[in-house]
Each structure stands twice: as structure tokens, then as C-alpha cells.
């Protein structure tokens, strides 16, 4: 079980240190946090297993605003998210770019959580499997790769996928790629246990509920108790 907290554009270094000082991950579950770039050093120094929220495919170069895998590794960062739907939606990231980011990060030695998931329009049009197949097909199997199934309609909306819907999507992703699959999209303390109980749900990528120590700890505890 892997529980990853995606802090998005929240928590600068001071708030990151305060979180780390008060947060005690329970035994029996792997917990990582993905703070903003400016807080990565604070998170690493505080002893948290730390992921970046994105990573570029080149080791260095004229790419204003980007950060490379060797730079992250040099800081003690363990991995990175790639292809989060907010990157795809608001910053024009393509499947091809996501593939390049994932490949370079894995080759450099980072772990990667690659995010996939359909929009509401795609789900309603019956295109969920088609979208997942397209997004997953650009990824190559790697022991450091985890896929996060995050239906876009469930992110930050309070509309969590039912455990059955998540299970179905996870099983489909696993039929395409041999990798653990974690679920993301409005994971909260009150729905975490039912999601984690599904056989192909291998953890969670938690946004909003990872910002609060109590709710994040309670989700981590639910995962630690899960036997799936
Ligand atoms: P949420 O975000 O838990 O706030 O829905 C999940 C994510 O975007 O990773």
C-alpha cells in the first residue's frame, strides 16, 4: 500500500516543516508527500519520503520553469508525479510529453507515479477504456513505476468513484501494464477504507485531504489496516 499526498500549490517550506514535525505515519503503509518545488528540500530534511509534482525529460537545458531528474535526485527526492490531470488540463501536457517525463525520470533512478484518468464527458460517452488505453500505452513497465487512476471528474469535486468503479478501472489498467495502481480523486477519511479494500487498489493519491495532518493520518491508517 502506497499513500501519496499531492499538495499541489499549497504549503511553502515553513508549513512543510510544521507538517513533518507533527505527522507520524502509521506502520504498515508507505507514505510519501509531493510538495511544491520550493518545499522539496524542507520535506527531505524533515525526513519525509518526498516526491516532486513534475519532472522534465532533459537533465539540463534551456527549459525555463522546468526541473530535471538529476536535480531532484541531488536534493534527496525519491520520485515524481507525472501527467497529473491538472498538468494535462491547464498546462497542455500531452501523452507524449508525459511518456518522455516518465521515461527520463525512471532511467535517472527516480520512482514515478504516472497519473491517468478520464473526464466526465469521456466517461459519459463510454470512452473510459479508450482513454485509459491511450494514456497507459505510452508507459513502459518498470519496477519503480506506479500508475495513479484519477478520474478527472472526481478530483477536488467530492465525487469519489465508487469502490466498484475504481476496482473496474484498476483491473483494466493492470490488464494493460504490470504495475501497482493507486486511486485518486476525493479520497477522504470516510471513503478510504472501502476503496483500499478493493483487490486492485494498491493505495491512494490524496490531494485536499493530505493537507490536514489528521485527515491524512486517518487515510494512512485505513490503508495500513487494509488486507488487499
Ligand atoms: P483530491 O485530489 O484528493 O483533492 O480530489 C487528488 C489529486 O488531484 O491527486
Amino acid at each position: 500500500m502506497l499513500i501519496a499526498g499531492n499538495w499541489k500549490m499549497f504549503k511553502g517550506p515553513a508549513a512543510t516543516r510544521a507538517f513533518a514535525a507533527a505527522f507520524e505515519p502509521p506502520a504498515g503503509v508507505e507514505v510519501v508527500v509531493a510538495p511544491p518545488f520550493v518545499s522539496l528540500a524542507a520535506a527531505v530534511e524533515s525526513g519525509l519520503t518526498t516526491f516532486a509534482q513534475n519532472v522534465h525529460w532533459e537533465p539540463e537545458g534551456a527549459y525555463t520553469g522546468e526541473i530535471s531528474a538529476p536535480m531532484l535526485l541531488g536534493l534527496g527526492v525519491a520520485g515524481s508525479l507525472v501527467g497529473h490531470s491538472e498538468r494535462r488540463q491547464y498546462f497542455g501536457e500531452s501523452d507524449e510529453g508525459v511518456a518522455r517525463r516518465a521515461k527520463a525520470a525512471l532511467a535517472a533512478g527516480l520512482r514515478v507515479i504516472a497519473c491517468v484518468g478520464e473526464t466526465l464527458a469521456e466517461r459519459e460517452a463510454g470512452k473510459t477504456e479508450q482513454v485509459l488505453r491511450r494514456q497507459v500505452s505510452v508507459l513502459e513497465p518498470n519496477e519503480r513505476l506506479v500508475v495513479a487512476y484519477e478520474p478527472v471528474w472526481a478530483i477536488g469535486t467530492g465525487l469519489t468513484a465508487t469502490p466498484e468503479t475504481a476496482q473496474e478501472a484498476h483491473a483494466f489498467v493492470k490488464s494493460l501494464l504490470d504495475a501497482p495502481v493507486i486511486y485518486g480523486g476525493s479520497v477522504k477519511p470516510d471513503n478510504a477504507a472501502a476503496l483500499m479494500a478493493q483487490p486492485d487498489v494498491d493505495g491512494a493519491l490524496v490531494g485536499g485531504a493530505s493537507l490536514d495532518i489528521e485527515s491524512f493520518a486517518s487515510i494512512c491508517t485505513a490503508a495500513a489496516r487494509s488486507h488487499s
Side-chain angles (χ1 to χ4, degrees), residues 6 8 81 84-86 150 154-158 184-188 205-209:
N6 174 14
K8 310 193 178 186
L81 308 181
H84 190 278
S85 64
E86 286 153 14
E150 296 206 305
I155 295 178
T157 57
S186 297
V187 175
K188 306 288 176 207
L205 180 53
V206 186

Side-chain angles (χ1 to χ4, degrees), residues 23-188:
F23 176 68
E24 189 82 40
V29 58
E30 197 195 4
V31 180
V32 311
V33 296
F37 283 120
V38 294
S39 301
L40 290 173
V44 170
E45 283 157 19
S46 303
L48 295 167
T49 303
T50 305
F51 274 45
Q53 294 176 14
N54 206 0
V55 56
H56 197 259
W57 53 81
E58 291 294 341
E60 61 182 7
Y63 297 101
T64 303
E66 293 285 330
I67 303 286
S68 75
M71 290 170 179
L72 294 172
L73 285 161
L75 209 58
V77 170
S80 183
L81 308 181
V82 299
H84 190 278
S85 64
E86 286 153 14
R87 299 295 321 169
R88 297 177 191 259
Q89 262 185 302
Y90 307 138
F91 304 99
E93 288 202 17
S94 62
D95 292 326
E96 198 216 349
V98 171
R100 291 172 82 182
R101 290 175 193 273
K103 194 172 179 176
L106 291 164
L110 286 172
R111 297 165 65 190
V112 165
I113 298 175
C115 307
V116 301
E118 79 288 357
T119 63
L120 186 58
E122 289 162 343
R123 174 161 284 271
E124 285 174 346
K127 291 188 176 152
T128 298
E129 292 199 347
Q130 189 182 320
V131 170
L132 293 178
R133 183 176 282 115
R134 194 196 74 224
Q135 293 176 335
V136 172
S137 68
V138 301
L139 302 169
E140 289 162 17
N142 187 295
E143 58 181 15
R144 289 192 302 279
L145 174 65
V146 170
V147 175
Y149 170 62
E150 296 206 305
V152 179
W153 46 270
I155 295 178
T157 57
L159 293 173
T160 320
T162 63
E164 295 71 28
T165 303
Q167 166 58 30
E168 202 182 323
H170 284 222
F172 181 67
V173 169
K174 287 186 183 189
S175 76
L176 304 171
L177 181 75
D178 183 16
V181 182
I182 63 177
Y183 171 80
S186 297
V187 175
K188 306 288 176 207

Side-chain angles (χ1 to χ4, degrees), residues 1 163-164 166-167 191-203 222-223 225-228:
M1 280 280 162
E164 295 71 28
Q167 166 58 30
N191 59 28
L195 286 161
M196 299 305 125
Q198 297 298 315
D200 291 312
V201 175
D202 303 314
R225 287 194 186 132
S226 153
H227 299 291
S228 75

